[in-house]
Amino acid sequence: MSDPVHRRVVVKLSGEALTGRQGFGIEQEMVERLAGDLAAASRLGVELGVVVGGGNIFRGVEVSERGVPRPVGDTMGMLATVMNCLVLEAAIERAGVEARTLSALAMPSVCETYNRKRALKNLGKGRVVLLAAGTGNPFFTTDTTAVLRAAELEAHAVLKATNVDGVYTADPKKDPKASRYDRLSHQEAIEKDLRVMDGTAFALARENRMPIIIFSIADKNAIESVLRGKGRATTVG
Ligand code: UDP
């Protein structure tokens, strides 16, 4: 087996990844599987930061459509990411790897507050670090958080888990001729207005020359394959 090609990465999991077949909330079976994948990736000796979304519970924009001020809705979204991180943290530890949730919003009776030094210290101890509560600010997404934390923590790449094994020239479900890009520049990703990540996340990645590897989480051990430089994926950067 080839050695991992990255030594420190930030993995971005959308909240949706935790819903499994339920379509909403948290499916424990899915959590266990993802935790197993993350634990296996950590055992390769790769330092893992994990940013988890909250869209399986609350998204600020959707909450605000019901009349709640947007910043309040966004806070609810950030709190949802904390719940997702806590359930993953417990499952990663059950899988035999130490994990720590660090939250961008201070909640000392729940978990430690994020700061860069604390995150680096935990990563250095081989713990999986779950980066909760996004950036701690409304009007941002957890995709942007993943790029921001990767830059702050001097990670080598962001591994963005999706339902598709990369970026295609067209929707592969609708167009049989659609082909997958192996590599795209950040500029191309921005110009093509790729929906796979928001514009702010791509712009921040371009500014910091941060590669984003887009891969499918559907296959078991997908994270490990990407870390070994194998598997189907598109690299932006
Ligand atoms: N959010 C926020 N600031 C951040 C990150 C997230 O306000 O820095 C809120 C926002 O309301 C967002 C929600 O948290 O809709 C959940 O995050 P996201 O939509 O990125 O989750 P995903 O789609 O990846 O599950």
Short mmCIF file of all heavy atoms in Angstrom, two decimals, residues 12 14-16 53-56 58-60 73-74 77-78 81 134-143 145, ligand 1:
data_model
loop_
_atom_site.label_atom_id
_atom_site.label_comp_id
_atom_site.label_asym_id
_atom_site.label_seq_id
_atom_site.Cartn_x
_atom_site.Cartn_y
_atom_site.Cartn_z
N LYS A 12 -13.92 18.07 4.96
CA LYS A 12 -15.24 18.74 5.11
C LYS A 12 -16.34 17.73 4.83
O LYS A 12 -16.44 17.19 3.74
CB LYS A 12 -15.32 19.92 4.14
CG LYS A 12 -16.74 20.46 3.90
CD LYS A 12 -17.37 21.14 5.10
CE LYS A 12 -18.88 21.02 5.16
NZ LYS A 12 -19.68 21.59 4.13
N SER A 14 -20.49 17.38 4.86
CA SER A 14 -21.72 18.16 4.97
C SER A 14 -22.61 17.47 6.02
O SER A 14 -22.47 16.28 6.28
CB SER A 14 -22.44 18.23 3.63
OG SER A 14 -22.90 16.95 3.31
N GLY A 15 -23.51 18.24 6.58
CA GLY A 15 -24.44 17.66 7.54
C GLY A 15 -25.23 16.54 6.90
O GLY A 15 -25.54 15.53 7.54
N GLU A 16 -25.52 16.73 5.63
CA GLU A 16 -26.29 15.73 4.87
C GLU A 16 -25.65 14.35 4.91
O GLU A 16 -26.35 13.34 4.90
CB GLU A 16 -26.33 16.18 3.41
CG GLU A 16 -27.65 15.97 2.74
CD GLU A 16 -27.62 16.44 1.29
OE1 GLU A 16 -26.53 16.57 0.70
OE2 GLU A 16 -28.70 16.66 0.76
N GLY A 53 -20.76 20.19 8.58
CA GLY A 53 -21.84 21.15 8.34
C GLY A 53 -22.99 20.91 9.29
O GLY A 53 -22.90 20.10 10.23
N GLY A 54 -24.08 21.62 9.06
CA GLY A 54 -25.23 21.48 9.95
C GLY A 54 -26.55 21.40 9.19
O GLY A 54 -27.63 21.40 9.78
N GLY A 55 -26.43 21.32 7.86
CA GLY A 55 -27.62 21.36 6.99
C GLY A 55 -28.60 20.22 7.22
O GLY A 55 -29.76 20.32 6.80
N ASN A 56 -28.18 19.18 7.90
CA ASN A 56 -29.10 18.08 8.23
C ASN A 56 -30.05 18.47 9.35
O ASN A 56 -31.03 17.76 9.61
CB ASN A 56 -28.30 16.82 8.64
CG ASN A 56 -27.35 17.09 9.79
OD1 ASN A 56 -26.74 18.15 9.87
ND2 ASN A 56 -27.24 16.15 10.70
N PHE A 58 -30.26 22.43 10.75
CA PHE A 58 -30.69 23.80 10.44
C PHE A 58 -29.73 24.46 9.46
O PHE A 58 -28.51 24.32 9.58
CB PHE A 58 -30.68 24.68 11.70
CG PHE A 58 -31.79 24.38 12.66
CD1 PHE A 58 -31.50 24.04 13.97
CD2 PHE A 58 -33.12 24.46 12.26
CE1 PHE A 58 -32.52 23.78 14.88
CE2 PHE A 58 -34.15 24.19 13.16
CZ PHE A 58 -33.84 23.85 14.47
N ARG A 59 -30.32 25.21 8.53
CA ARG A 59 -29.54 26.13 7.68
C ARG A 59 -30.10 27.52 7.93
O ARG A 59 -31.32 27.72 7.88
CB ARG A 59 -29.74 25.79 6.20
CG ARG A 59 -28.88 24.69 5.72
CD ARG A 59 -28.56 24.79 4.23
NE ARG A 59 -27.70 23.70 3.87
CZ ARG A 59 -28.14 22.49 3.51
NH1 ARG A 59 -29.43 22.26 3.41
NH2 ARG A 59 -27.28 21.54 3.21
N GLY A 60 -29.19 28.47 8.18
CA GLY A 60 -29.60 29.84 8.54
C GLY A 60 -30.59 30.44 7.57
O GLY A 60 -31.60 31.03 7.97
N GLY A 73 -30.78 32.73 12.77
CA GLY A 73 -30.86 31.46 12.03
C GLY A 73 -29.48 30.86 11.83
O GLY A 73 -29.28 29.65 11.97
N ASP A 74 -28.52 31.72 11.51
CA ASP A 74 -27.15 31.23 11.31
C ASP A 74 -26.56 30.68 12.61
O ASP A 74 -25.83 29.69 12.59
CB ASP A 74 -26.26 32.35 10.75
CG ASP A 74 -26.47 32.55 9.26
OD1 ASP A 74 -26.94 31.60 8.59
OD2 ASP A 74 -26.16 33.64 8.75
N GLY A 77 -27.80 27.33 12.94
CA GLY A 77 -27.04 26.45 12.04
C GLY A 77 -25.70 26.07 12.65
O GLY A 77 -25.28 24.90 12.61
N MET A 78 -25.04 27.06 13.26
CA MET A 78 -23.73 26.77 13.87
C MET A 78 -23.88 25.81 15.05
O MET A 78 -23.04 24.93 15.25
CB MET A 78 -23.04 28.08 14.28
CG MET A 78 -22.55 28.86 13.08
SD MET A 78 -21.56 30.29 13.54
CE MET A 78 -22.78 31.56 13.69
N THR A 81 -24.06 22.32 13.90
CA THR A 81 -22.75 21.70 13.58
C THR A 81 -22.10 21.15 14.86
O THR A 81 -21.39 20.15 14.81
CB THR A 81 -21.77 22.69 12.90
OG1 THR A 81 -21.28 23.62 13.86
CG2 THR A 81 -22.38 23.42 11.73
N GLY A 134 -18.64 26.31 12.81
CA GLY A 134 -18.19 27.07 11.64
C GLY A 134 -17.11 28.07 11.99
O GLY A 134 -16.23 27.79 12.81
N THR A 135 -17.23 29.27 11.40
CA THR A 135 -16.26 30.32 11.70
C THR A 135 -16.63 31.05 12.99
O THR A 135 -15.87 31.88 13.47
CB THR A 135 -16.26 31.39 10.58
OG1 THR A 135 -17.58 31.96 10.52
CG2 THR A 135 -15.91 30.82 9.22
N GLY A 136 -17.84 30.79 13.49
CA GLY A 136 -18.35 31.52 14.66
C GLY A 136 -19.08 32.79 14.25
O GLY A 136 -19.58 33.52 15.11
N ASN A 137 -19.17 33.04 12.94
CA ASN A 137 -19.83 34.26 12.45
C ASN A 137 -20.98 33.91 11.50
O ASN A 137 -20.84 32.98 10.69
CB ASN A 137 -18.84 35.13 11.65
CG ASN A 137 -17.70 35.60 12.51
OD1 ASN A 137 -17.89 36.41 13.40
ND2 ASN A 137 -16.54 35.03 12.29
N PRO A 138 -22.06 34.72 11.57
CA PRO A 138 -23.15 34.49 10.62
C PRO A 138 -22.72 34.84 9.20
O PRO A 138 -21.68 35.48 9.01
CB PRO A 138 -24.26 35.43 11.12
CG PRO A 138 -23.55 36.50 11.86
CD PRO A 138 -22.33 35.86 12.47
N PHE A 139 -23.52 34.46 8.23
CA PHE A 139 -23.30 34.76 6.80
C PHE A 139 -22.14 34.00 6.18
O PHE A 139 -21.72 34.30 5.07
CB PHE A 139 -23.15 36.27 6.54
CG PHE A 139 -24.33 37.07 7.02
CD1 PHE A 139 -24.28 37.78 8.20
CD2 PHE A 139 -25.52 37.07 6.30
CE1 PHE A 139 -25.37 38.50 8.67
CE2 PHE A 139 -26.62 37.79 6.76
CZ PHE A 139 -26.55 38.51 7.94
N PHE A 140 -21.59 33.02 6.91
CA PHE A 140 -20.56 32.17 6.31
C PHE A 140 -21.07 30.74 6.22
O PHE A 140 -22.11 30.43 6.79
CB PHE A 140 -19.27 32.23 7.13
CG PHE A 140 -18.51 33.51 6.97
CD1 PHE A 140 -18.67 34.55 7.88
CD2 PHE A 140 -17.64 33.69 5.90
CE1 PHE A 140 -17.98 35.74 7.72
CE2 PHE A 140 -16.96 34.89 5.74
CZ PHE A 140 -17.13 35.91 6.66
N THR A 141 -20.33 29.91 5.53
CA THR A 141 -20.71 28.49 5.42
C THR A 141 -19.59 27.63 6.02
O THR A 141 -18.48 28.12 6.27
CB THR A 141 -20.86 28.07 3.95
OG1 THR A 141 -19.56 28.19 3.35
CG2 THR A 141 -21.87 28.92 3.21
N THR A 142 -19.90 26.37 6.17
CA THR A 142 -18.86 25.48 6.68
C THR A 142 -17.85 25.11 5.59
O THR A 142 -16.76 24.66 5.91
CB THR A 142 -19.48 24.23 7.32
OG1 THR A 142 -20.40 23.63 6.40
CG2 THR A 142 -20.21 24.56 8.61
N ASP A 143 -18.22 25.32 4.31
CA ASP A 143 -17.21 25.13 3.24
C ASP A 143 -16.11 26.19 3.40
O ASP A 143 -14.92 25.90 3.33
CB ASP A 143 -17.84 25.27 1.85
CG ASP A 143 -18.58 24.01 1.43
OD1 ASP A 143 -18.45 22.99 2.13
OD2 ASP A 143 -19.28 24.05 0.40
N THR A 145 -15.45 27.73 6.14
CA THR A 145 -14.76 27.39 7.39
C THR A 145 -13.64 26.38 7.11
O THR A 145 -12.52 26.51 7.64
CB THR A 145 -15.75 26.75 8.40
OG1 THR A 145 -16.89 27.58 8.54
CG2 THR A 145 -15.08 26.52 9.74
N1 UDP B 1 -23.04 28.84 9.57
C1 UDP B 1 -22.72 30.16 9.89
N2 UDP B 1 -21.40 30.52 9.91
C2 UDP B 1 -20.39 29.66 9.61
C3 UDP B 1 -20.73 28.35 9.26
C4 UDP B 1 -22.06 27.96 9.25
O1 UDP B 1 -23.59 30.97 10.17
O2 UDP B 1 -19.22 30.06 9.67
C5 UDP B 1 -24.45 28.43 9.64
C6 UDP B 1 -25.26 28.76 8.39
O3 UDP B 1 -26.54 29.14 8.80
C7 UDP B 1 -25.31 27.44 7.66
C8 UDP B 1 -25.39 26.46 8.82
O4 UDP B 1 -24.55 27.02 9.81
O5 UDP B 1 -26.45 27.35 6.83
C9 UDP B 1 -24.94 25.07 8.49
O6 UDP B 1 -23.74 25.08 7.75
P1 UDP B 1 -23.67 24.66 6.21
O7 UDP B 1 -24.88 25.16 5.48
O8 UDP B 1 -22.36 25.06 5.68
O9 UDP B 1 -23.79 23.08 6.37
P2 UDP B 1 -23.77 21.92 5.26
O10 UDP B 1 -24.53 22.41 4.06
O11 UDP B 1 -22.35 21.63 4.93
O12 UDP B 1 -24.44 20.76 5.96
#
